[in-house]
Amino acid sequence: MSKRLAEVARKVGVSEATVSRVLNDKPGVSDATRQAVLTALDVLGYERPSKLRGERARLVGLVLPELQNPIFPAFAEIIGGALAQNGYTPVLCMQTAGGISEADYVELLLQQQVSGVVFVGGAYAQQDASHEHYARLADLHLPTVLVNAPVDALHFATVSCDDSVATAQALGHLRSLGHERIGLLLGPRDHVPSQRKLEAARRILAGWGQEFDESLVVNSLYSLEAGQAAAARLLAAGVTAIVCASDPMALGAIRAARRAGLSVPGDVSIVGYDDSALMNCTEPPLTTIRQPIEPMGRTVIELLLRQISSDSAIRDELFFEPELVVRGSTGPATHAVS
């Protein structure tokens, strides 16, 4: 007991007597200090006293699908910082191949009595994946916010970049440069953001009076290597430009073009998605669609805190408008149809 008191006291920066008062639910401690002590107990792996276990910890689960794509660490930095500013500690849960599953992470977070969960990418964005663990969160009324895709029928609070606007920006830019045979390099077929981009492309081309060519759509995993392999198929089909669903995929497309003896943007133009870190330092610098991650991340926290404070569900999906960032990977079509 004394070891626990001393360790928690050092973590919080208070006396052991103060920690003891909190653990025994005694008066004379401010709410902020009381919450800090309880959070320290959770972080250090100590069980709360039974009479305090009914209270939620000031911990928030932050679940990411990976860290290789720079957009996910960028979101984590914004969201984690905003949580800390509001007195909450993010618990980072990162999925790895063959590692702990998303459903397992949810159970671990529930055991820690977290105040809420934020998902930045994951199984919720795939229609064919299991969504049972999300239904569990909904049944428990645990404050939950998703980024960039809703879960059908569960209606969690969701903050999304507008894929329809992003697609219009990318296609409009390429059309203005004279490109007509434009390939789409998207994520898996059941991935909601990619489905939204595809639907938007169909509408946009129909509005231009242009027939949509399904053979110029290739689905792939969100990685440089997968993007390279998929882009090679589009290049073989004779596209003069490729719109990609992520920046790593776009870098793979540039590599595929070079392996095919083509120059970027001289022979083929490439557009990415996210404007993740260092995309202005590639060769050529990548034209891409910028997600407004800072306002999106802060809105995620606003929605989460509203649910925590009011104990009521928020079911809206809020859309943020992206921005086309033109750099050196796009240029005029060399074989434009007049």
Side-chain angles (χ1 to χ4, degrees):
M1 179 67 174
S2 59
K3 178 183 176 182
R4 179 176 66 166
L5 286 176
E7 193 171 358
V8 173
R10 283 196 301 271
K11 182 77 173 176
V12 182
V14 297
S15 68
E16 293 183 29
T18 297
V19 174
S20 179
R21 282 197 293 272
V22 172
L23 297 183
N24 290 289
D25 202 21
K26 299 294 185 182
V29 182
S30 70
D31 289 341
T33 299
R34 188 178 300 276
Q35 289 298 336
V37 169
L38 293 175
T39 298
L41 281 173
D42 297 325
V43 171
L44 293 171
Y46 292 120
E47 286 190 7
R48 297 185 181 200
S50 57
K51 56 189 169 186
L52 299 177
R53 288 176 192 170
E55 299 180 20
R56 286 178 177 168
R58 291 184 70 83
L59 300 173
V60 170
L62 179 53
V63 185
L64 307 176
E66 56 163 309
L67 292 179
Q68 290 184 335
N69 187 332
I71 195 64
F72 294 121
F75 266 117
E77 182 178 5
I78 297 295
I79 293 171
L83 284 170
Q85 290 173 4
N86 286 277
Y88 289 86
T89 301
V91 180
L92 182 63
C93 302
M94 187 190 70
Q95 300 171 62
T96 57
I100 300 177
S101 70
E102 194 174 71
D104 290 335
Y105 272 130
V106 167
E107 289 303 320
L108 289 172
L109 292 171
L110 291 176
Q111 290 173 20
Q112 291 296 317
Q113 296 179 301
V114 295
S115 295
V117 186
V118 175
F119 291 91
V120 185
Y124 67 89
Q126 297 174 255
Q127 289 186 332
D128 297 341
S130 172
H131 292 165
E132 291 182 6
H133 51 293
Y134 302 114
R136 177 160 163 70
L137 294 175
D139 291 342
L140 292 171
H141 304 289
L142 187 70
T144 302
V145 183
L146 312 179
V147 174
N148 274 336
V151 177
D152 289 341
L154 292 181
H155 308 294
F156 287 117
T158 306
V159 175
S160 298
C161 187
D162 196 321
D163 290 302
S164 180
V165 172
T167 304
Q169 290 174 342
L171 292 177
H173 171 60
L174 293 172
R175 189 181 191 224
S176 72
L177 295 172
H179 294 278
E180 293 190 1
R181 194 164 176 79
I182 303 171
L184 296 179
L185 179 47
L186 303 177
R189 293 181 185 277
D190 69 332
H191 194 249
V192 173
S194 286
Q195 290 178 344
R196 289 175 164 181
K197 291 180 176 71
L198 180 58
E199 292 167 2
R202 288 196 178 105
R203 290 195 306 269
I204 291 163
L205 267 64
W208 293 346
Q210 187 174 333
E211 184 177 351
F212 187 82
D213 189 344
E214 297 283 351
S215 69
L216 301 186
V217 179
V218 177
N219 297 92
S220 166
L221 298 177
Y222 284 93
S223 70
L224 188 153
E225 294 78 12
Q228 178 182 346
R233 294 167 55 190
L234 292 172
L235 295 171
V239 300
T240 65
I242 303 176
V243 175
C244 303
S246 77
D247 289 339
M249 295 168 84
L251 297 181
I254 292 175
R255 181 189 286 181
R258 288 175 173 160
R259 293 285 173 86
L262 302 173
S263 68
V264 179
D267 297 308
V268 61
S269 290
I270 308 292
V271 180
Y273 186 89
D274 285 336
D275 193 28
S276 44
L278 305 181
M279 291 304 105
N280 61 335
C281 300
T282 59
E283 180 53 43
L286 186 66
T287 294
T288 187
I289 303 295
R290 176 180 294 161
Q291 286 202 67
I293 61 170
E294 182 162 350
M296 288 176 67
R298 295 200 173 276
T299 300
V300 165
I301 300 307
E302 290 175 12
L303 292 174
L304 186 75
L305 296 182
R306 279 170 53 191
Q307 293 179 75
I308 292 172
S309 63
S310 65
D311 200 28
S312 61
I314 297 176
R315 304 179 183 277
D316 299 327
E317 181 175 13
L318 303 181
F319 289 95
F320 283 73
E321 185 162 331
E323 177 187 358
L324 173 69
V325 181
V326 179
R327 298 192 181 106
S329 67
T330 52
T334 56
H335 304 292
V337 178
S338 59

